[in-house]
Amino acid sequence: MAPDPPETEEMPACCRDVVTEYSKEILKFGELLFELLSEALGLRPNHLNEIGCAEGVNLLYNYYPACPQPEITLGTTQHADFGFISLLVQDRVGGLQVLHRDHWVDVVPDSEGIVVNIANLLQVMSNDRFTSVQHRAVVKSVGPRVSATAFFGVGYTTNPRVYGPIEELLSKENPPKYKETTIQDFVTQSYKQGLNGVSFLDVLKLAND
């Protein structure tokens, strides 16, 4: 949906108006979140927006039918998202789980809430000040389950900018922990890894004494 949204007629007539409006509002919300995240890192509020974190947005809508045997089925396997942040809206059926202290914890649906996931590239840029969230989706015997996710950064492959640990966050005591990368290389390599719980972050890690 950004920076080059599809033509209106390319979207299904049943949802094109609401998708277009939702995209505008979620982009505004993402820009606000990047201001808050910048401040949390001790940077100027506009820092993350100025380096393009809110320029590329993909929307993904998932539909999980009710499953007669949920105990032997998994909706989406363990993974962390690739880009900067992901904003998720899930319906009252739920199914999102996050990995916390080696245990899977249900994220209770909130009809008025948006789940904010830190993604891998923001972990790199923050030099581990922020850490990406390992999560998965489980299926239910009730349903269907519907979710909508806005991925900031993923898919914006025409951006030639190189991303790495932000210089203002580095010091002799806090050297860079990751190599620099482009969004295109980062996403391409992450897709090669697949949703297998193995992170491309391990490839970018530097060997610091």
Side-chain angles (χ1 to χ4, degrees), residues 62 64 73-79 104 135-139 145 195:
N62 283 321
Y64 299 89
T73 307
L74 192 63
T76 306
T77 55
Q78 175 183 343
H79 67 285
W104 287 106
H135 57 284
R136 68 182 185 180
V138 297
V139 295
R145 172 184 181 255
L195 300 183

Coordinates of all heavy atoms in Angstrom, one line a residue, residues 62 64 73-79 104 135-139 145 195:
N62 N -5.2 -12.5 6.7 CA -5.2 -14.0 6.8 C -6.6 -14.5 7.2 O -7.2 -13.9 8.0 CB -4.2 -14.4 7.8 CG -2.8 -14.4 7.3 OD1 -2.5 -14.7 6.2 ND2 -1.8 -14.0 8.2
Y64 N -8.3 -18.0 8.5 CA -8.1 -19.4 8.9 C -9.5 -20.0 9.2 O -10.2 -19.6 10.1 CB -7.3 -19.4 10.3 CG -5.9 -18.8 10.2 CD1 -5.7 -17.4 10.4 CD2 -4.8 -19.6 9.9 CE1 -4.4 -16.9 10.4 CE2 -3.5 -19.1 9.9 CZ -3.3 -17.7 10.1 OH -2.1 -17.2 10.1
T73 N -2.6 -29.4 14.0 CA -2.5 -28.4 12.9 C -1.9 -27.1 13.4 O -2.2 -26.7 14.6 CB -3.8 -28.1 12.2 OG1 -4.4 -29.4 11.9 CG2 -3.7 -27.3 11.0
L74 N -1.1 -26.4 12.6 CA -0.5 -25.1 13.0 C -0.8 -24.1 11.9 O -0.6 -24.4 10.7 CB 1.0 -25.3 13.3 CG 1.7 -24.1 13.9 CD1 1.1 -23.9 15.3 CD2 3.2 -24.3 14.0
G75 N -1.3 -23.0 12.3 CA -1.7 -22.0 11.3 C -0.4 -21.4 10.6 O -0.3 -21.4 9.4
T76 N 0.5 -20.8 11.4 CA 1.7 -20.2 10.9 C 2.8 -20.6 11.9 O 2.7 -20.4 13.1 CB 1.7 -18.7 10.8 OG1 0.5 -18.4 10.0 CG2 2.9 -18.2 10.2
T77 N 4.0 -21.1 11.4 CA 5.0 -21.6 12.3 C 5.8 -20.5 13.0 O 5.6 -19.3 12.6 CB 6.0 -22.5 11.6 OG1 6.5 -21.8 10.4 CG2 5.3 -23.8 11.1
Q78 N 6.6 -20.8 13.9 CA 7.4 -19.8 14.7 C 8.3 -19.0 13.7 O 9.0 -19.5 12.9 CB 8.3 -20.5 15.7 CG 9.3 -19.6 16.4 CD 10.2 -20.4 17.4 OE1 9.9 -21.5 17.7 NE2 11.2 -19.7 17.8
H79 N 8.2 -17.7 14.0 CA 9.1 -16.7 13.2 C 9.1 -15.4 13.8 O 8.3 -15.1 14.7 CB 8.5 -16.6 11.7 CG 7.2 -16.0 11.6 ND1 6.0 -16.6 12.0 CD2 6.8 -14.7 11.2 CE1 5.0 -15.8 11.8 NE2 5.5 -14.6 11.4
W104 N 5.0 -20.7 25.1 CA 4.1 -20.0 24.2 C 3.0 -19.4 25.0 O 2.3 -20.1 25.8 CB 3.6 -20.9 23.1 CG 4.6 -21.3 22.1 CD1 5.3 -22.4 22.0 CD2 5.1 -20.4 21.1 NE1 6.2 -22.4 20.9 CE2 6.1 -21.1 20.4 CE3 4.8 -19.1 20.7 CZ2 6.8 -20.6 19.3 CZ3 5.5 -18.6 19.6 CH2 6.5 -19.3 18.9
H135 N 6.9 -15.3 17.2 CA 5.5 -15.6 17.4 C 5.0 -16.6 16.4 O 5.7 -17.0 15.5 CB 4.7 -14.3 17.2 CG 4.9 -13.6 15.9 ND1 6.0 -12.9 15.7 CD2 4.1 -13.5 14.8 CE1 6.0 -12.3 14.4 NE2 4.8 -12.7 13.9
R136 N 3.8 -17.1 16.6 CA 3.2 -18.0 15.7 C 1.7 -17.8 15.7 O 1.2 -17.1 16.6 CB 3.5 -19.5 16.0 CG 3.0 -19.9 17.4 CD 3.4 -21.4 17.7 NE 2.7 -21.9 18.9 CZ 3.0 -23.1 19.4 NH1 3.8 -23.9 18.8 NH2 2.3 -23.4 20.5
A137 N 0.9 -18.5 14.8 CA -0.5 -18.5 14.9 C -1.0 -19.9 15.0 O -0.6 -20.8 14.2 CB -1.1 -17.8 13.6
V138 N -1.9 -20.2 15.9 CA -2.5 -21.5 16.1 C -3.9 -21.5 15.6 O -4.6 -20.4 15.7 CB -2.4 -22.0 17.5 CG1 -1.0 -22.2 18.0 CG2 -3.1 -21.1 18.4
V139 N -4.4 -22.6 15.0 CA -5.8 -22.6 14.5 C -6.7 -23.1 15.7 O -6.2 -23.6 16.7 CB -5.9 -23.6 13.3 CG1 -5.1 -23.1 12.2 CG2 -5.4 -25.0 13.7
R145 N -11.1 -17.6 11.7 CA -10.3 -16.5 12.3 C -9.8 -15.6 11.2 O -9.3 -16.1 10.2 CB -9.2 -17.1 13.1 CG -8.2 -16.0 13.6 CD -7.0 -16.6 14.3 NE -6.1 -15.6 14.8 CZ -4.9 -15.3 14.2 NH1 -4.5 -15.9 13.1 NH2 -4.2 -14.3 14.7
L195 N 10.0 -19.8 7.3 CA 9.4 -19.7 8.6 C 9.8 -20.9 9.4 O 8.9 -21.7 9.8 CB 7.9 -19.5 8.5 CG 7.4 -18.3 7.7 CD1 5.9 -18.2 7.8 CD2 8.0 -17.0 8.3

